[in-house]
């Protein structure tokens, strides 16, 4: 082997034979190739015995920090270090743009915007309101709301989330925990933009933090500045700005608006140079109802104007186009699960890596069978074989579903009360629970049993069991095994990066042209598949627990050529029978 141009160490090879160590760098894997050649073994024969198909470390891409090198290691060919510099640059550019960053214009914009955070973060104000991804970072002083602003936000959340309103107040509609979290994030972005100095990258307005108050939102000039500031950052208006203006109109609406029913907020309003004059402050304070009415009319008018010119920035179908354009989108997406099984590490030699692969496999399989939103899939509880199921009343209280063994039907059943769904009042449910017996296809039951009996204990590593089916890999830096919204999204996206996207440089990956995406995209796959097979928006809505109108507006990619092809299948039968 040395004569063939490589280096060999007898001690290292002895350690490999004893199982103490194993080849995991590009150089050591090249040595394995030479051993195969020396003994005239079939290509990749010894690689298959390793239970891994790639180098885990040893790549030294130029300009990459250690964290990026770990991410890149999954996607670089084993001979990366021996290739020319131009080829290395080409490979790195492709991996970074198509796999790591996302590839779409929106993801590039979002990645750049995320480098300069500015939002005010309201944390832990109301029990049951979770923190969204942008609020989970440790808050620096400039991102912490002043005490009076935090109290105002707390008052708004109490008003919109409590079961019963406080005496003397009226409201229209209630926010659930997820909606409340979203509104907190959006209002935090607005207050953060107002507070950031104009000489920073964010180019905010520079309102002194002590003058930040919800009373500012009564001024149409504040809203005009904010939506124009967002348009300047992005380059065009989107539906997002229109929805924020509708929120402003709802807060100021006569009879049920929170701002309209809290005139005391006006006492904290102060003039801001270039935004609100002393005269504006006096007019608002003297006639709070009139100011709210003017805001309502202004916000509704602006929303209509923006809706006419709004453009789509984040196309949810773009990352999935190779799947949605296939004749059978579900069959195309299923290739990812087959790729996971094909590349799954040996469970005996690499138990934790194999457990993570089984978890990834089941995430996608259950997503394809159930069509659930991320929240319902992430919060799915589990009862092992032989354990009694949780009562429907308790599941309604928890607002979560459950995977359990159904003795009578002899299969794994998913049971979710309608209260756990975002659209609980939809005609799809008619106030009845969702129940589906999972089919034992493609060894699904075998993998569920394997995950429950063997993989979950490995992933838990002795940490407290949160009781949900899907759990994180517990590490010394994080002992909480439960996923949150952001970590579950990242886990799904990581699976697509590693197994879904075909990499021409390594030959690994299932689908050419696929881009990273999250769990919500599987609903697009299911709806589009059924539309292509049946042409029925009604049947497509059954697959994702929604209504035909929602499928037509948000989920199904049913193009004219798909409709024509479906009609042609029927019409062509005439010619075949002649």
């Amino acid at each position: 082997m040395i004569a063939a141009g490589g280096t060999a160490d007898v001690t290292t090879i002895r350690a490999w034979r004893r199982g103490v160590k194993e080849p995991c760098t590009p150089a050591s894997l090249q040595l394995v190739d030479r051993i195969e050649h020396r003994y005239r073994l079939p290509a990749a024969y010894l690689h298959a015995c390793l239970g891994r198909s790639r180098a885990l470390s040893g790549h030294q891409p130029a300009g990459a920090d250690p964290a990026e090198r770990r991410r890149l290691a999954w996607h670089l060919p084993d001979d990366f270090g021996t290739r020319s510099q131009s080829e290395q640059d080409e490979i790195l550019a492709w991996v970074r743009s198509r796999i790591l960053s996302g590839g779409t214009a929106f993801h590039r914009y979002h990645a750049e915007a995320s480098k300069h955070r500015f939002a005010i973060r309201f944390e832990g104000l109301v029990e049951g309101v979770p923190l969204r991804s942008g609020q989970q970072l440790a808050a620096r002083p400039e991102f912490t709301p002043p005490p009076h602003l935090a109290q105002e936000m707390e008052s708004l959340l109490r008003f919109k989330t409590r079961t019963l309103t406080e005496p003397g107040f009226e409201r229209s509609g209630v926010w659930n925990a997820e909606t409340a979290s979203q509104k907190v994030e959006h209002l935090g972005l607005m207050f953060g933009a107002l507070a950031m100095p104009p000489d920073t990258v964010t180019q905010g307005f520079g309102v002194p933090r002590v003058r930040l108050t919800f009373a500012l939102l009564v001024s149409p000039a504040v809203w005009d500045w904010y939506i124009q500031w967002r348009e300047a950052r992005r380059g065009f208006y989107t539906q997002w700005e229109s929805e924020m203006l509708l929120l402003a109109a709802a807060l100021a609406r006569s009879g049920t608006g929170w701002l309209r029913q809290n005139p005391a907020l006006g006492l904290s309003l102060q003039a801001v140079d270039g935004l609100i004059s002393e005269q504006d402050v006096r007019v608002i304070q003297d006639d709070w109802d009139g100011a709210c009415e003017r805001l309502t009319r202004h916000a509704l008018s602006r929303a209509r104007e923006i809706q006419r010119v709004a453009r789509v920035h984040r196309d949810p179908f773009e990352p999935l186009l190779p799947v949605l354009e296939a004749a059978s989108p579900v069959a195309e997406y299923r290739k990812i699960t087959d790729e996971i099984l094909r590349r799954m590490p040996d469970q005996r030699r690499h138990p934790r890596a194999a457990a993570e692969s089984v978890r990834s496999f089941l995430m996608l399989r259950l997503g394809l069978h159930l069509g659930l939103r991320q929240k319902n899939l992430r919060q799915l509880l589990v009862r092992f074989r032989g354990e009694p199921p949780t009562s429907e009343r308790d599941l309604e209280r928890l607002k979560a579903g459950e995977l359990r063994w159904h003795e009578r039907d002899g299969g794994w059943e998913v049971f979710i009360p309608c209260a756990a769904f975002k659209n609980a009042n939809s005609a799809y449910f008619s106030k009845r629970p969702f129940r589906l017996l999972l089919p034992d296809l493609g060894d699904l039951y075998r993998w569920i049993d394997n995950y429950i009996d063997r993989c979950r204990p490995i992933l838990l590593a002795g940490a407290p069991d949160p009781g949900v089916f899907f759990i994180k890999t517990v590490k010394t830096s994080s002992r909480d095994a439960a996923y949150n919204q952001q970590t579950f999204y990242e886990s799904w996206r990581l699976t697509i990066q590693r197994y879904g996207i075909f990499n021409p440089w390594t030959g690994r990956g299932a689908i050419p042209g696929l881009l990273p995406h999250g769990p919500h995209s599987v609903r697009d796959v299911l709806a589009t598949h059924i539309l292509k097979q049946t042409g029925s928006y009604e049947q497509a809505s059954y697959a994702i627990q929604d209504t035909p109108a929602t499928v037509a507006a948000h989920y199904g990619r049913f193009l004219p050529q798909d409709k024509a092809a479906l009609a042609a299948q029927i019409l062509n039968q005439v010619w075949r029978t002649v």
Side-chain angles (χ1 to χ4, degrees):
M1 287 183 287
I2 295 174
T7 58
D9 184 272
V10 175
T11 304
T12 300
I13 296 178
R14 286 174 179 166
W16 292 350
R17 291 180 60 192
R18 295 197 310 270
V20 178
K21 296 180 180 179
E22 63 180 42
C24 62
T25 66
S28 60
L29 290 176
Q30 288 176 8
L31 183 56
V32 173
D33 292 336
R34 293 192 182 97
I35 295 175
E36 289 176 347
H37 178 72
R38 165 65 179 79
Y39 291 102
R40 306 296 189 266
L41 297 174
Y45 177 86
L46 293 179
H47 285 269
C49 297
L50 291 172
R52 292 185 185 271
S53 59
R54 62 180 183 85
L56 300 179
S57 60
H59 294 298
Q60 300 294 331
D65 58 34
E68 188 183 20
R69 282 201 297 269
R70 286 193 295 272
R71 294 194 299 271
L72 288 170
W74 277 85
H75 312 293
L76 299 181
D78 291 339
D79 62 349
F80 176 81
T82 64
R83 297 187 180 226
S84 66
Q85 188 60 50
S86 60
E87 258 194 313
Q88 291 185 17
D89 293 341
E90 184 181 0
I91 293 171
L92 287 174
W94 188 91
V95 171
R96 284 167 172 158
S97 64
R98 301 290 297 181
I99 297 180
L100 299 186
S101 69
T104 66
F106 173 79
H107 278 100
R108 288 191 291 271
Y109 161 80
H110 189 266
E112 184 62 30
S114 299
K115 296 177 182 177
H116 311 287
R117 298 187 179 274
F118 59 89
I120 299 291
R121 300 192 180 103
F122 299 90
E123 301 185 359
L125 295 182
V126 174
E127 184 178 357
V129 177
L131 296 179
R132 291 169 68 85
S133 60
Q135 298 167 260
Q136 291 165 359
L137 301 176
R140 302 207 304 266
E142 63 267 31
F143 300 142
T144 303
H148 67 276
L149 185 62
Q151 291 173 2
E152 292 170 0
M153 177 64 83
E154 185 176 3
S155 174
L156 170 61
L157 289 174
R158 282 200 308 270
F159 174 76
K160 293 298 291 184
T161 60
R162 283 191 171 180
T163 304
L164 301 176
T165 57
E166 296 179 3
F169 286 84
E170 295 184 17
R171 68 183 176 191
S172 175
V174 179
W175 291 344
N176 61 26
E178 284 72 27
T179 301
S181 178
Q182 182 189 68
K183 301 304 182 186
V184 166
E185 181 183 22
H186 291 177
L187 290 168
L189 288 169
M190 183 174 184
F191 282 118
L194 288 168
M196 288 298 287
D199 57 353
T200 62
V201 175
T202 304
Q203 295 181 335
F205 194 88
V207 177
R209 291 169 52 79
V210 295
R211 298 191 182 187
L212 291 177
T213 169
F214 272 82
L216 286 168
L217 305 189
V218 178
S219 170
V222 171
W223 287 97
D224 277 356
W225 176 85
Y226 183 55
I227 62 175
Q228 291 173 35
W229 174 84
R230 289 191 63 89
E231 188 269 343
R233 277 170 61 90
R234 195 189 298 263
F236 50 87
Y237 289 112
T238 67
Q239 190 66 23
W240 197 96
E241 287 77 37
S242 176
E243 291 175 357
M244 281 296 290
L245 287 165
L246 294 178
L247 172 63
L251 292 175
R253 183 181 297 128
S254 176
T256 58
W258 176 77
L259 283 174
R260 181 75 71 105
Q261 297 176 79
N262 283 276
L265 291 171
L267 300 177
S268 60
L269 183 61
Q270 301 180 58
V272 178
D273 290 341
L275 191 63
I276 300 179
S277 65
E278 294 286 357
Q279 177 65 22
D280 294 333
V281 172
R282 286 193 295 270
V283 169
I284 292 173
Q285 291 176 337
D286 292 343
D287 185 9
W288 184 260
D289 275 353
C292 288
E293 185 62 31
R294 288 191 294 274
L295 171 63
T296 301
R297 292 197 301 268
H298 178 82
L300 293 175
S301 174
R302 280 284 190 266
R304 287 191 295 269
E305 291 176 333
I306 288 178
Q307 286 169 356
R308 285 195 294 267
V309 298
R311 293 165 53 185
V312 175
H313 198 182
R314 189 189 72 87
D315 181 358
F317 298 145
E318 186 176 358
L320 294 166
L321 282 181
V323 174
L324 301 181
E325 291 175 348
S328 175
V330 170
E332 190 71 11
Y333 205 80
R334 179 192 168 184
K335 292 178 180 178
I336 306 174
T337 63
D338 296 338
E339 177 75 1
I340 295 173
L341 295 181
R342 186 178 69 83
R343 292 171 48 195
M344 185 175 294
D346 182 84
Q347 288 192 306
R348 180 179 58 85
R349 296 180 59 83
H350 310 285
R352 193 170 81 168
E356 292 172 342
S357 295
V358 174
R359 180 185 61 198
S360 297
F361 169 80
L362 289 176
M363 273 187 183
L364 270 61
R365 280 296 302 268
L366 264 62
L368 287 170
H369 286 296
L370 300 173
L372 297 174
R373 289 180 173 86
Q374 194 227 91
K375 168 184 176 290
N376 301 114
L377 189 61
R378 166 170 47 91
Q379 297 178 353
L380 191 67
L381 303 173
V382 61
R383 303 292 284 182
F384 305 146
R385 290 189 190 229
E387 292 184 335
T390 306
S391 68
E392 183 176 351
R393 183 185 298 272
D394 287 340
L395 291 176
E396 284 183 349
R397 177 178 54 82
L398 296 170
K399 292 187 176 180
E402 185 174 79
L403 175 68
R404 61 230 193 153
W405 182 257
H406 198 281
E407 292 291 348
R408 185 183 62 195
D409 293 337
W412 285 103
E413 174 194 67
V414 174
F415 183 93
I416 309 176
C418 67
F421 288 89
K422 175 184 177 181
N423 57 332
N425 296 321
S426 169
Y428 173 89
F429 295 105
S430 299
K431 300 189 182 299
R432 297 172 186 266
F434 170 87
R435 177 185 178 271
L436 181 69
L437 191 71
L438 293 173
D440 189 14
L441 301 173
D443 287 333
L444 179 60
Y445 284 13
R446 179 172 74 85
W447 287 113
I448 290 176
D449 291 336
N450 180 286
Y451 177 74
I452 290 174
D453 298 337
R454 185 170 184 173
C455 299
R456 282 185 91 255
I458 293 172
L459 297 175
L460 277 173
D465 191 340
V468 291
F469 183 67
F470 293 113
I471 56 173
K472 294 190 303 181
T473 304
V474 174
K475 302 175 182 176
T476 54
S477 58
S478 173
R479 302 295 294 173
D480 182 10
Y483 279 110
N484 59 36
Q485 181 181 16
Q486 183 67 16
T487 54
F488 193 84
Y489 172 86
E490 290 172 351
S491 182
W492 189 292
R493 179 182 169 89
L494 188 65
T495 298
I496 301 304
Q497 289 174 327
R498 291 179 174 179
Y499 303 103
I501 301 171
F502 176 76
N503 186 335
W505 305 102
T506 64
R508 296 190 290 265
I511 304 172
L514 191 68
L515 294 175
H517 56 269
H520 201 75
S521 295
V522 77
R523 293 164 60 83
D524 300 318
V525 174
L526 295 176
T528 302
H529 178 90
I530 293 180
L531 285 172
K532 286 192 170 187
Q533 300 299 316
T534 68
S536 171
Y537 286 95
E538 185 81 19
Q539 292 188 51
S541 71
Y542 297 160
I544 59 173
Q545 309 90 43
D546 226 310
T547 62
T550 303
V551 171
H554 300 291
Y555 292 107
R557 188 176 187 271
F558 198 34
L559 302 179
Q561 60 262 33
D562 301 321
K563 300 172 185 177
L566 195 60
Q569 291 179 15
I570 300 173
L571 296 174
N572 292 344
Q573 294 296 326
V574 176
W575 304 99
R576 295 191 180 98
T577 58
V578 173

